[in-house]
Amino acid sequence: MSDTEDGLDAHALRVVKAIADTGSITGAARALGYSQPAVSQQLRRLERRAGLPIVERVGRGVRLTEAGRVLARHAATVTTALDAAAGDLAELRGLRAGRVRIAAFPSASSTVVPRVIAAVTARRPGVSISFVEAEPPEAIAAVREDRADIALIYSYPGDRREQLTQAAAGLSVRHLADDDTVVVVPAEHPAASHDPIDLSQLAGERWIAGCPQCRGHLLEACGRAGFTPDIAFETDNYIAVENLVALGVGMAILPRMAVASLPLPAGIAAPRLPPAESRTLHVVTARGAKSVPAVGAALEVVDEVLADPRRGGVRR
């Protein structure tokens, strides 16, 4: 069998993906822990097998050709499948090894994620688990680019479903739970005793906005209540938000998961918005990732944590 008739191999696909991620052969070698000549040799062998150039020179650097970009698109799926196969073997050996990389939004990082890490570590001490905090767009990208195995994300009622579908195209997206949203107000405010709260009562107040998605939800929720909020402050630091409210400088809409992470400061209340204003929690993985035993074990724990009554307002 000639070189051009040989099949592709996993090492070569990892090299192509690393070049796509880093933008250079040197960067790919560094990321993979290979020498630069070894990466160049893998490329030459792959080009012979493919019968097409994989990279092309651009100035003093290189970029992927169309054939290279095709291989890079398939690389994450192929490497996930290989990890699944390796994971099945690890399962037969009692899951004494493996890794799980989690990306999750900030309010999950102080509530769900610590419990997931603790449970996985206790049950599977041989599994290496890591975590990075990221808002939904970055978390989805981390899974797509094989920088994370599990992404915990959220969406609000006004977020267009096609945006999530497009962002996670080719990946597995599963509904996890619903997370109530609350309005953080001074405890002495007349609306503080209403549960659920009527946002129209707060039409004349100043507001604190958070991340882009949270700001969008604030604008849309207030719009549904018949007014445009006067946004005076912007921060995605939940503690800062609560302290600003406690000092009477503004109001804010926060997810229940955020206010559940710490006791509320004195002088503020957090009445719920109607259930229609809840946000939805999703888990995103590569297709087939659940078959990787370490990842599958972590996903089971995620479901258990969110089903626990102590989860702080999240509804299945």
Side-chain angles (χ1 to χ4, degrees):
M1 182 178 289
S2 69
D3 280 336
T4 56
E5 293 172 324
D6 284 344
L8 301 173
D9 67 80
H11 291 301
L13 287 177
R14 293 184 192 277
V15 165
V16 173
K17 185 178 182 305
I19 293 172
D21 291 342
T22 65
S24 70
I25 292 176
T26 301
R30 187 181 301 113
L32 295 170
Y34 298 165
S35 67
Q36 186 171 334
V39 169
S40 298
Q41 184 178 15
Q42 285 272 9
L43 277 175
R44 288 194 296 270
R45 184 181 300 119
L46 178 58
E47 288 178 331
R48 287 197 303 270
R49 291 174 174 177
L52 293 166
I54 303 301
V55 298
E56 58 187 0
R57 291 285 173 184
V58 179
R60 300 176 64 180
V62 299
R63 68 182 179 191
L64 293 178
T65 62
E66 183 178 0
R69 292 192 295 272
V70 167
L71 292 178
R73 285 200 303 271
H74 289 283
T77 301
V78 172
T79 55
T80 295
L82 290 172
D83 287 343
D88 286 343
L89 295 177
E91 183 72 9
L92 293 174
R93 297 193 300 269
L95 196 58
R96 293 191 292 269
R99 69 173 185 182
V100 182
R101 300 163 296 169
I102 299 174
F105 51 91
S107 55
S109 70
S110 57
T111 52
V112 174
V113 173
R115 295 172 63 190
V116 169
I117 292 175
V120 172
T121 301
R123 297 178 192 181
R124 311 285 192 175
V127 172
S128 170
I129 187 164
S130 62
F131 166 65
V132 63
E133 188 173 281
E135 292 291 350
E138 292 75 25
I140 293 172
V143 172
R144 184 178 302 286
E145 296 166 8
D146 196 28
R147 292 181 285 109
D149 302 298
I150 296 172
L152 299 180
I153 68 168
Y154 61 84
S155 62
Y156 281 107
D159 295 341
R160 294 193 302 173
R161 180 62 54 185
E162 60 266 26
Q163 289 179 328
L164 175 60
T165 302
Q166 182 177 4
L171 303 175
S172 171
V173 182
R174 179 167 62 88
H175 170 264
L176 284 174
D178 296 318
D179 186 18
D180 292 333
T181 50
V182 302
V183 183
V184 186
V185 299
E188 69 275 9
H189 194 284
S193 60
H194 296 185
D195 191 24
I197 193 171
D198 181 357
L199 267 183
S200 65
Q201 295 178 274
L202 305 176
E205 305 289 350
R206 293 188 300 175
W207 291 85
I208 306 161
C211 71
Q213 269 185 276
C214 300
R215 179 190 179 97
H217 178 242
L218 169 63
L219 291 169
E220 291 182 357
C222 292
R224 286 188 281 272
F227 69 96
T228 300
D230 174 16
I231 297 176
F233 309 97
E234 296 188 31
T235 176
D236 54 8
N237 182 315
Y238 300 132
I239 297 175
V241 169
E242 291 176 355
N243 282 297
L244 286 169
V245 174
L247 292 172
V249 299
M251 313 283 186
I253 293 178
L254 290 178
R256 173 69 72 184
M257 190 178 284
V259 300
S261 60
L262 290 171
L264 288 174
I268 68 173
R272 290 177 303 123
L273 281 169
E277 296 295 346
S278 298
R279 67 178 183 175
T280 303
L281 308 184
H282 316 267
V283 62
V284 179
T285 63
R287 289 180 178 172
K290 190 175 182 180
S291 299
V292 180
V295 177
L299 290 171
E300 289 178 8
V301 171
V302 169
D303 286 336
E304 291 172 14
V305 168
L306 288 171
D308 191 313
R310 296 174 296 166
R311 62 193 181 270
V314 179
R315 293 177 284 110
R316 298 294 286 184

